[in-house]
Amino acid sequence: MTSSLLPRGLARGAGLTLLCGAAAFAQSPPPAPAPVAAGSTVESSADNPPGQASGAPRIQQGIPGGARQPSPPPSPYKPLFFDNDFSQYTGKPPYILGEQSKLLSLSQCPEVKLSAGGQVRHRLHAEDNRLRPDGETFTNYQLWRGRNYLNLESEYARAYMEIINADSWGSEILELAIDENRWDLLNAFVDFNLYDVAGGAGTFRVGQQEILYGDQYLLSPLDWSNTRRNFEGYKYIHQADAWCLDAFSLTPVNGAAGSRFYDPTAFDEDDEEKRLWGVWVNRKLTDNAAADLFYLDQNIEVPLADTRRAADGRRRLVGGRIAGTVPMLTCGSDDGSDGVGGKPFRTWDYDVQGGYQFGDDDGEDVRAAFLNTAVGHTWNAAPWSPRVGELFYYGSGDDDPTDGENNTFYTYYSLAHAYWGIIDNLNGQNLLDYAVFTTVNPTKKLSVTGGYHLFRKASGDDYLYNVAQAGLGPLGAGTDIGTELDVVADYRVTLNLGLQLGYARSWYDDFAESSFAQASDDGEFVYLQTTFNY
């Protein structure tokens, strides 16, 4: 059994991790994410990305199960760096390293401003008995990446460029497409400001870009990966006071996004035979609730050797989401009068979303669906502000491979690492997940989240789908996958620097044990990540 090697593997690289001052998770989905920089809890209710209104609960991007937490002090750094906002920080306390290079005035008439910044991130990564398709078991390696951006904007237009240099070393097994991308473009687009009227403002974006919508169940930049996902195409954005609408047409560019023309040592090319269209509408319902409506349409025209093990053809998804909080107020207000305006001493949070998928998959009619429900309760006035929550997820599977109908739900570009176990065995296709979570905040800078999952296949007549959406294992061999324990500690040293330590253990059940050689023993995963934004 090699799991005992994990602590030693972590110790060997810990010194380098801290010296490098790389990434913790200050803009990525670490263990069980949502839209916030993983490793460093840097988001406030005013900092929500498109598809997550300010009234909705913040879902932390690197924490098991996307555990909702009270918003930490605001940060100018956002999950997508082109959304960074230093307008409230430049020249004002608290000082943030790098603010001198933000919002530099190049011209007064017309007003033109230039900003520059970036990130360095390092992760020491050790795993044993993970369900990799190649059957490999133990490996201990390191991941490093640097990101640098320039943003030039005026009242009429904007040009944004971001480069990435991602590398890994020390792995004893095959590197993944999400591990390495040397000196490539991550974002390179132009925004044209079309109008700004009483009903809202309109923008047209063209070029290479990242995307993030909702809680990243469907569309995520996958910050947990060393390379992040990016796309090429067009987007129309309408932003009003209480609602926003995005419409887009995009093709995947790098390996993390699934492009067949990905090259870790050369410029990537977009894959026009995997085009994704979509419309995403977000509306603020109340101060404490928001809703999403979305339509996604992807046409995958790539010939596949085994069409039963991966999505093919054209799949359309119609769905929605509602999320919010319910504050429980104290008996009296701050001025000692009646209960109106009192501080919440407890808070309920909820998140419900689902959708129906239809289309054609290699000649078969697609009829699939997904449903996710989550509810939690935070004791704000108690020591460490503990939160307890539960999550149920259903992604349909095919119940008869011979009936001419495909019922396997396709998850598009999800943040699987955040929701279906941080060891990254599974994707949300043909999956049932019953999970409980708890979060405590011993200090203002430290939060610790634990999660426990019970995984089952939704259909025993379909495959188990791994984190890369590939079908694994035999058909008809049962549904019991196993259970997983995830623990993630997040420490924000400063607004620039964050540390994250995570551990996961998987106990495999009958289906996994009979289908995969690695599942003969428990799976184990540990990592230490450091993120520095500037």
Side-chain angles (χ1 to χ4, degrees):
M1 178 175 178
T2 57
S3 60
S4 61
L5 298 176
L6 294 179
R8 295 208 299 270
L10 179 63
R12 282 199 296 269
L16 177 60
T17 305
L18 297 176
L19 287 173
C20 289
F25 269 65
Q27 288 297 330
S28 67
V36 85
S40 63
T41 54
V42 291
E43 188 155 278
S44 70
S45 59
D47 298 331
N48 296 287
Q52 186 177 349
S54 59
R58 185 183 67 88
I59 304 175
Q60 189 168 351
Q61 196 175 56
I63 298 304
R68 286 111 181 118
Q69 298 179 348
S71 295
S75 166
Y77 297 103
K78 303 299 182 286
L80 302 174
F81 271 5
F82 51 76
D83 289 333
N84 286 355
D85 183 5
F86 275 81
S87 60
Q88 301 301 315
Y89 289 85
T90 304
K92 305 172 186 176
Y95 170 76
I96 299 178
L97 183 65
E99 68 177 48
Q100 301 94 326
S101 62
K102 310 298 189 295
L103 302 176
L104 301 175
S105 179
L106 302 183
S107 171
Q108 294 293 331
C109 187
E111 186 177 37
V112 179
K113 293 184 178 181
L114 175 68
S115 295
Q119 178 190 87
V120 181
R121 191 177 86 174
H122 175 269
R123 181 163 77 235
L124 178 66
H125 179 120
E127 65 180 60
D128 194 15
N129 294 327
R130 180 181 163 196
L131 300 184
R132 287 179 177 261
D134 53 16
E136 298 287 351
T137 55
F138 177 76
T139 185
N140 167 33
Y141 62 102
Q142 301 185 54
L143 298 162
W144 175 93
R145 82 177 182 202
R147 299 164 58 194
N148 293 279
Y149 71 84
L150 286 174
N151 184 65
L152 183 67
E153 60 183 312
S154 71
E155 61 178 305
Y156 305 108
R158 171 197 190 190
Y160 180 87
M161 183 178 72
E162 183 177 345
I163 61 173
I164 186 169
N165 183 24
D167 197 6
S168 67
W169 67 94
S171 178
E172 295 117 22
I173 62 178
L174 187 65
E175 291 181 342
L176 303 175
I178 64 173
D179 291 340
E180 185 177 355
N181 200 4
R182 306 303 304 276
W183 297 110
D184 212 332
L185 286 173
L186 186 61
N187 290 280
F189 62 80
V190 177
D191 282 351
F192 298 97
N193 299 330
L194 304 178
Y195 56 85
D196 190 351
V197 297
T203 303
F204 181 72
R205 176 172 297 166
V206 56
Q208 198 162 293
Q209 56 196 276
E210 298 175 290
I211 56 174
L212 186 160
Y213 288 97
D215 57 0
Q216 305 186 65
Y217 258 101
L218 299 168
L219 299 176
S220 169
L222 193 61
D223 188 51
W224 168 252
S225 77
N226 206 34
T227 56
R228 297 175 63 99
R229 293 187 183 114
N230 62 351
F231 300 81
E232 177 80 25
Y234 311 92
K235 179 186 291 187
Y236 165 75
I237 304 166
H238 177 86
Q239 179 70 56
D241 290 339
W243 65 280
C244 59
L245 178 150
D246 283 13
F248 49 84
S249 174
L250 303 166
T251 52
V253 173
N254 64 6
S259 172
R260 294 171 297 154
F261 309 114
Y262 151 76
D263 186 337
T265 59
F267 282 113
D268 301 323
E269 296 182 27
D270 66 311
D271 193 337
E272 295 185 356
E273 294 186 344
K274 294 184 177 182
R275 182 166 294 278
L276 172 71
W277 299 270
V279 177
W280 199 288
V281 180
N282 171 259
R283 181 171 182 81
K284 182 178 179 180
L285 302 178
T286 69
D287 288 343
N288 298 309
D292 292 339
L293 292 175
F294 47 84
Y295 169 78
L296 300 178
D297 184 346
Q298 186 166 30
N299 191 20
I300 301 176
E301 300 176 340
V302 180
L304 299 172
D306 187 347
T307 57
R308 296 296 308 171
R309 293 180 180 265
D312 191 18
R314 188 165 186 176
R315 286 174 175 257
R316 304 172 178 89
L317 175 69
V318 177
R321 173 191 180 215
I322 184 169
T325 61
V326 181
M328 311 296 290
L329 301 182
T330 57
C331 295
S333 64
D334 292 340
D335 60 8
S337 58
D338 59 25
V340 178
K343 293 182 178 179
F345 65 103
R346 294 184 292 117
T347 302
W348 286 95
D349 61 80
Y350 60 90
D351 192 331
V352 179
Q353 66 179 310
Y356 177 73
Q357 195 171 72
F358 57 97
D360 177 87
D361 190 319
D362 199 47
E364 295 185 314
D365 292 334
V366 173
R367 297 180 182 177
F370 86 102
L371 173 68
N372 181 77
T373 64
V375 64
H377 189 88
T378 302
W379 288 264
N380 304 307
W384 295 12
S385 302
R387 177 192 180 273
V388 175
E390 67 77 30
L391 178 147
F392 168 75
Y393 173 83
Y394 165 76
S396 62
D398 196 31
D399 53 12
D400 186 348
T402 65
D403 64 357
E405 185 174 286
N406 191 317
N407 310 118
T408 306
F409 177 68
Y410 170 58
T411 53
Y412 297 94
Y413 299 97
S414 67
L415 183 57
H417 175 83
Y419 295 108
W420 303 304
I422 69 172
I423 201 171
D424 285 337
N425 277 334
L426 305 172
N427 193 276
Q429 302 179 179
N430 188 32
L431 186 68
L432 289 169
D433 179 13
Y434 308 87
V436 292
F437 301 94
T438 184
T439 299
V440 294
N441 301 276
T443 72
K444 291 183 178 180
K445 294 186 174 183
L446 175 64
S447 66
V448 181
T449 295
Y452 185 78
H453 299 263
L454 172 64
F455 294 118
R456 297 288 184 265
K457 293 203 300 179
S459 170
D461 294 318
D462 198 353
Y463 300 103
L464 177 148
Y465 292 85
N466 70 1
V467 70
Q469 301 173 323
L472 304 177
L475 301 177
T479 61
D480 295 342
I481 301 171
T483 58
E484 179 173 328
L485 173 67
D486 297 332
V487 181
V488 175
D490 234 339
Y491 185 73
R492 187 178 64 183
V493 183
T494 68
L495 287 175
N496 295 96
L497 177 63
L499 305 174
Q500 189 171 77
L501 176 66
Y503 174 80
R505 191 178 189 93
S506 288
W507 293 271
Y508 298 116
D509 281 347
D510 294 345
F511 169 77
E513 289 177 346
S514 64
S515 304
F516 307 101
Q518 309 98 302
S520 60
D521 208 342
D522 299 339
E524 201 169 11
F525 169 54
V526 64
Y527 72 92
L528 175 62
Q529 182 166 274
T530 309
T531 304
F532 182 75
N533 294 326
Y534 54 89

